[in-house]
């Protein structure tokens, strides 16, 4: 028999983690300040390469998280989830095809990438708290959520450094607000699970867009890139 703390889905793991997390907070109580120490020393190609690798890592993890959550917590609720509310980033007019991506100016596309990632800053923090307190969630799922939340903060610094280097003086766009905290914190299990599944599906879609847009931007901005 495995010791309690070594079991991959041990509830005690979550108890220990939650004891080190802040209590649930208002969605916009923490200001977003991203320093760029060290990034100014990198070349534009190095910044792009690093950001693309991280974006692909985030995208892969979010796909795994979404599939794992649906398999373990939705069951008969799949149909409801697929027909649930739209993503909070829907207000961003993002290009959906390769042709639309190519028709979008580089500075606009880059600021769009930043807006998408900033829009997930607070939802990801709440997602970490939600999964940490979700009975039955495996340790691996929680670690993936934490990894994505931390990687999103890091990649935002790289995006900012790229924007400053490629388009000096460019102002960032306003990012859309997330208003789904009440459902994510709901005491009703079905409401909470549907909200979390929808959040993960939206995150999966948006992180995939970011990775695709970065590849397109690198092909435009970096010469002799064999695109």
């Amino acid at each position: 028999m495995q010791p309690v703390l070594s079991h991959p889905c041990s509830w005690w793991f979550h108890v220990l983690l939650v004891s080190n997390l802040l209590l649930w907070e208002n969605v916009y109580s923490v200001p977003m300040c991203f320093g760029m120490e060290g990034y100014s020393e990198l070349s534009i190609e190095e910044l792009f390469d690093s950001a693309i690798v991280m974006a692909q890592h985030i995208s892969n993890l979010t796909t795994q998280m979404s599939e794992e959550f649906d398999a373990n917590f939705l069951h008969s609720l799949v149909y409801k989830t697929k027909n649930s509310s739209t993503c909070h980033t829907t207000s961003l007019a993002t290009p959906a095809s390769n042709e639309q991506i190519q028709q979008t100016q580089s500075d606009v596309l880059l600021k769009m990438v930043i807006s998408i990632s900033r829009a997930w800053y607070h939802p990801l923090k709440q997602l970490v708290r939600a999964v940490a307190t979700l009975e039955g969630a495996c340790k691996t799922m929680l670690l993936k959520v934490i990894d994505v939340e931390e990687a999103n903060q890091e990649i935002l610094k790289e995006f900012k450094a790229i924007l400053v280097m490629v388009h000096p003086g460019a102002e960032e766009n306003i990012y859309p607000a997330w208003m789904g905290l009440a459902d994510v914190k709901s005491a009703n299990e079905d409401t909470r699970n549907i909200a979390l599944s929808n959040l993960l599906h939206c995150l999966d879609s948006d992180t995939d867009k970011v990775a695709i847009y970065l590849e397109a931007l690198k092909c435009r901005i970096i010469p002799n890139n064999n695109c």
Side-chain angles (χ1 to χ4, degrees), residues 2-16 139:
Q2 285 183 306
V4 174
L5 290 178
S6 65
H7 194 282
C9 295
S10 172
W11 175 245
W12 289 107
F13 173 84
H14 304 300
V15 173
L16 290 171
K139 174 181 176 180

Side-chain angles (χ1 to χ4, degrees), residues 99-117:
E99 182 179 359
Q100 290 176 347
I101 292 173
Q102 295 305 320
Q103 291 174 350
T104 305
Q105 294 181 347
S106 296
D107 60 329
V108 174
L109 195 59
L110 182 53
K111 288 191 286 185
M112 196 175 295
V113 163
I114 296 174
S115 292
I116 293 173
S117 298

Side-chain angles (χ1 to χ4, degrees), residues 49-69:
D49 287 343
S50 177
I52 287 172
V53 169
M54 191 175 296
Q56 291 172 342
H57 173 67
I58 293 172
S59 180
N60 289 336
L61 281 183
T62 55
T63 299
Q64 295 172 27
M65 287 156 43
S66 180
E67 292 175 350
E68 185 177 348
F69 185 88

Side-chain angles (χ1 to χ4, degrees), residues 138-156:
C138 291
K139 174 181 176 180
T140 54
M141 183 189 296
L142 180 57
L143 293 177
K144 288 174 185 176
V145 176
I146 293 172
D147 190 352
V148 169
E149 191 269 331
E150 293 177 347
N152 187 62
Q153 293 189 48
E154 193 65 28
I155 204 171
L156 271 166

Side-chain angles (χ1 to χ4, degrees), residues 70-79:
D70 285 358
N72 287 283
F73 293 98
L74 283 195
H75 309 299
S76 62
L77 297 176
V78 173
Y79 176 80

Side-chain angles (χ1 to χ4, degrees), residues 139-210:
K139 174 181 176 180
T140 54
M141 183 189 296
L142 180 57
L143 293 177
K144 288 174 185 176
V145 176
I146 293 172
D147 190 352
V148 169
E149 191 269 331
E150 293 177 347
N152 187 62
Q153 293 189 48
E154 193 65 28
I155 204 171
L156 271 166
K157 298 176 185 177
E158 295 185 334
F159 293 158
K160 177 68 174 180
I162 292 172
L163 181 64
V164 169
M165 191 174 295
V166 177
H167 299 286
E171 295 184 3
E172 297 175 30
N173 296 332
I174 297 174
Y175 63 94
W178 176 63
M179 307 301 291
L181 182 59
D183 285 345
V184 167
K185 292 177 61 179
S186 175
N188 182 280
E189 183 178 354
D190 286 355
T191 299
R192 182 183 66 248
N193 287 350
I194 289 173
L196 287 172
S197 177
N198 187 63
L199 192 65
L200 286 166
H201 279 282
C202 291
L203 178 62
D204 187 22
S205 175
D206 282 346
T207 55
D208 187 50
K209 287 179 184 178
V210 167

